[in-house]
Every structure is written in C-alpha cells, then in structure tokens.
Amino acid sequence: MNRREALKQSGLIVGYTLSASTLSQLWTACKSEPQLTWTPQFFTEAQASTVSAMAECILPRTETPGAKDLGIDQYIDVFVKNIYSAEDQQAFVQGMKEFEESCRQAYGKTFANLNPEEQEAFLLDQEQEANMLNHAIWGEVIGEKKPVSFYRQFKAMLISGYFSSEEVGKNLLTYEPVPGSQQGCIPLSEVGNVYSL
C-alpha cells in the first residue's frame, strides 16, 4: 500500500466513524420522547416521564434546586409503591391516565411531550379545575369528604416531598435539630425564616 492509498483508507475510516456518530446524535435529537434518567420501581417509563415532567414544571430549578434536582419524582415513585394501598395505587394510576387523556385532547400530545409553555398552561387549567384537598386534623377529615383529583394529590405529594427533603431542610429552611424553648407568640420578622423539623 502506498502513501496515497493509506491516506485514502484512513480518511474513509474517519469519515465512517464521524458519520456513524453524527447519525446517532441526529437520531437521538430527532426522538421526541423525553429521556428518563432513572429507573422507576412502580410506574411504567411513560408514567415516570409524566411524573418527572410535572415535578419539573411545578417546582423548577431557580436559584434553589428544583424537584427533579432533588429526586422528588423518584420519591413519588417509591412513595406510591411502598405507602399506598393497592386500591390507592390503582386510583392514582387511573387519575394519571385521565390527566394524560385530558392533555391529549387539549394538545394532541402527552404531558411530557409538551413544550414548557404548554405544560404550564395545562397545569394552570388543572389548578383551576381541581377541587381542594379535604381539611383534616390528625388524619381525620373535617366535614364532607370529597374525592381528591390526581393533580391535587400529586401536587401535595410533590410539595411534601420537596420540603421534607434533606437538602431543603438543612440548606434552605432554618434547621434546628434540637429545638429550644417554646415561645408561642413571636413576630415573624424576629424569627426570620420558616423552620424545618
């Protein structure tokens, strides 16, 4: 093999390598399905994508970490798997199915495939349509017990998971592992922040 042929052969190899990797990247970029970065324990991948997209839209990263940064989408997956009864799991999944169907009727796509503006608009509609949580004291509902929509249930779980996370409890809220004396009536301006337990 002479020098000219060697250069030609190495050029073809480099070209083939670049083409394969470039095509692979183009193929990945053309896929419209959002990529899930964790393995769900309870949800299907499509359901987990919905959970992640909703978590990101409701509590996005700002100057503080977002819900996905703290793995609250994964927390919801584990929570539904380990804490919910079989009946509650079924109701939650059915609620998510109806949520997705409503999203498809409005936009022709699943929630995870909407752009951020569409996701926000859809969740604002859900916020207005969803009934409020039942008021309860020590787990007992006060007054008439109304069915809680999937959206409201999800949002409550997301916010609870976010504010009970170690990152938020230690670094964003005032963390005092051993509380001091009880002072029941203090102006909020003297306290300075919301406390975590």
Side-chain angles (χ1 to χ4, degrees):
M1 179 182 299
N2 63 27
R3 183 174 171 206
R4 180 172 294 208
E5 280 193 26
L7 286 172
K8 187 177 173 183
Q9 292 292 332
S10 63
L12 285 174
I13 291 171
V14 170
Y16 174 76
T17 306
L18 286 177
S19 294
S21 67
T22 303
L23 284 174
S24 174
Q25 288 175 354
L26 282 174
W27 179 254
T28 302
C30 289
K31 286 182 179 177
S32 61
E33 292 294 322
Q35 299 297 313
L36 199 60
T37 57
W38 52 281
T39 304
Q41 294 182 20
F42 174 75
F43 296 125
T44 64
E45 288 213 10
Q47 292 167 340
S49 292
T50 300
V51 168
S52 290
M54 289 178 72
E56 180 68 14
C57 189
I58 294 172
L59 290 173
R61 180 188 305 162
T62 55
E63 62 275 359
T64 58
K68 275 179 66 177
D69 296 327
L70 301 181
I72 308 302
D73 46 357
Q74 297 170 55
Y75 159 82
I76 291 172
D77 179 51
V78 172
F79 189 91
V80 171
K81 178 186 175 211
N82 294 326
I83 304 298
Y84 274 19
S85 67
E87 182 181 327
D88 290 339
Q89 288 173 344
Q90 188 177 6
F92 191 84
V93 168
Q94 180 62 33
M96 187 185 301
K97 200 173 178 181
E98 292 167 5
F99 174 89
E100 284 289 16
E101 186 54 37
S102 177
C103 186
R104 277 195 198 91
Q105 287 177 0
Y107 293 96
K109 301 182 233 176
T110 62
F111 183 79
N113 287 311
L114 298 179
N115 66 43
E117 291 78 22
E118 291 170 331
Q119 287 179 341
E120 185 178 343
F122 185 71
L123 288 185
L124 286 173
D125 288 344
Q126 294 293 309
E127 181 71 31
Q128 293 193 349
E129 292 172 8
N131 58 352
M132 300 302 288
L133 291 172
N134 294 308
H135 296 285
I137 295 180
W138 301 110
E140 293 295 321
V141 174
I142 301 169
E144 181 186 354
K145 185 176 181 179
K146 299 174 186 169
V148 179
S149 70
F150 163 75
Y151 169 75
R152 192 68 65 200
Q153 195 176 8
F154 178 88
K155 186 176 173 184
M157 198 183 311
L158 179 72
I159 291 172
S160 171
Y162 186 82
F163 282 102
S164 61
S165 70
E166 185 176 348
E167 173 70 21
V168 171
K170 284 188 173 176
N171 299 323
L172 300 179
L173 303 175
T174 300
Y175 179 65
E176 200 170 325
V178 180
S181 62
Q182 164 67 21
Q183 298 176 0
C185 188
I186 304 172
L188 183 60
S189 60
E190 291 179 19
V191 176
N193 197 0
V194 176
Y195 280 67
S196 68
L197 299 175

